[in-house]
Amino acid sequence: NAGVMQNPRHLVRRRGQEARLRCSPMKGHSHVYWYRQLPEEGLKFMVYLQKENIIDESGMPKERFSAEFPKEGPSILRIQQVVRGDSAAYFCASTQGATGELFFGEGSRLTVL
Amino acid sequence: QKEVEQDPGPLSVPEGAIVSLNCTYSNSAFQYFMWYRQYSRKGPELLMYTYSSGNKEDGRFTAQVDKSSKYISLFIRDSQPSDSATYLCAMQRTGANNLFFGTGTRLTVIP
């Protein structure tokens, strides 16, 4: 499968724990985007990364959330000290260049108890 | 006011009907307009991509953009049960990286 791969597909955490979501972009893609989809709401942009660089994090909450895209390995979205309001589907998308069609993964669904 | 407004539906139509899905927006800087289809528990997939005003047709799908009214539409002809999904409109400013999405319209095509 050469598509965008996200894992885990489902993650359950208790309040205060950490959540780590991983995204491997499509082969040949070096630009990664993270979006969050809350129930009954549209997808909201969180962060745009290239290898080893955060290009635009204007949609990221200022606290508890961080993202990285290392030279080797997948992009990671990290949520520290999760709260119930963090329960959502988190989607990763990749593009080959700075613009162009976004290819989305199937999402990681986080449930905070 | 949200930047992109979309009626969440749900919308139910009989097989073979013409479906009309719409979004309005408030930011005149949007230049790129997209429609995504999202099946339940899946990621969005791009259906149509248009730049500025005008029409674009691809098989049974037609996208229309009216920038003067800040209004975009997606028409599905001869709808099929396999078209049952949530349809999301999305918009982008020139030079920007992120997309602004509508909330999505849930469509069911009844056999």
Side-chain angles (χ1 to χ4, degrees):
Chain A
N1 187 343
V4 178
M5 303 300 292
Q6 290 188 247
N7 68 82
R9 292 292 311 280
H10 300 277
L11 183 63
V12 178
R13 286 287 179 266
R14 296 189 182 280
R15 281 180 296 172
Q17 292 184 318
E18 178 179 286
R20 282 188 183 230
L21 310 178
R22 291 176 290 277
C23 170
S24 296
M26 282 184 71
K27 187 175 181 180
H29 287 192
S30 59
H31 300 250
V32 165
Y33 301 75
W34 285 94
Y35 283 80
R36 177 165 63 176
Q37 188 173 40
L38 292 165
E40 308 305 323
E41 292 190 21
L43 288 150
K44 303 290 187 191
F45 168 77
M46 298 182 74
V47 62
Y48 163 44
L49 310 105
Q50 294 178 27
K51 287 282 188 182
E52 300 184 279
N53 284 305
I54 297 174
I55 307 302
D56 181 355
E57 57 181 348
S58 59
M60 287 277 272
K62 293 290 186 280
E63 298 178 347
R64 304 187 297 108
F65 285 72
S66 62
E68 63 176 7
F69 190 14
K71 187 177 181 181
E72 300 291 337
S75 175
I76 306 284
L77 179 67
R78 182 184 179 202
I79 311 172
Q80 295 177 288
Q81 299 175 329
V82 296
V83 301
R84 288 211 175 119
D86 297 332
S87 296
Y90 292 83
F91 288 94
C92 171
S94 71
T95 60
Q96 189 171 34
T99 58
E101 180 179 351
L102 261 63
F103 291 85
F104 281 86
E106 297 202 333
S108 292
R109 282 161 181 80
L110 171 66
T111 301
V112 179
L113 301 178
Chain B
Q1 182 188 10
K2 291 182 181 178
E3 293 208 64
V4 182
E5 298 275 2
Q6 184 176 10
D7 186 340
L11 181 62
S12 292
V13 301
E15 183 175 354
I18 296 174
V19 176
S20 173
L21 304 166
N22 312 292
C23 287
T24 59
Y25 62 96
S26 57
N27 190 338
S28 58
F30 288 138
Q31 294 286 343
Y32 299 91
F33 304 91
M34 288 140 271
W35 286 94
Y36 283 81
R37 178 174 61 196
Q38 186 176 20
Y39 291 113
S40 181
R41 298 293 183 181
K42 300 291 186 181
E45 56 178 328
L46 183 66
L47 274 179
M48 301 288 281
Y49 183 101
T50 54
Y51 171 72
S52 196
S53 285
N55 295 356
K56 184 174 182 179
E57 186 173 325
D58 184 0
R60 296 185 295 111
F61 298 90
T62 300
Q64 288 185 353
V65 175
D66 181 350
K67 290 193 69 184
S68 63
S69 302
K70 297 190 178 66
Y71 188 87
I72 70 169
S73 301
L74 178 71
F75 297 96
I76 307 174
R77 291 184 300 280
D78 188 25
S79 56
Q80 303 295 310
S82 59
D83 295 330
S84 298
T86 296
Y87 290 80
L88 302 156
C89 62
M91 306 177 189
Q92 186 177 32
R93 299 188 303 270
T94 300
N97 306 306
N98 55 314
L99 300 181
F100 290 84
F101 282 86
T103 54
T105 299
R106 186 180 300 176
L107 171 68
T108 300
V109 180
I110 302 166

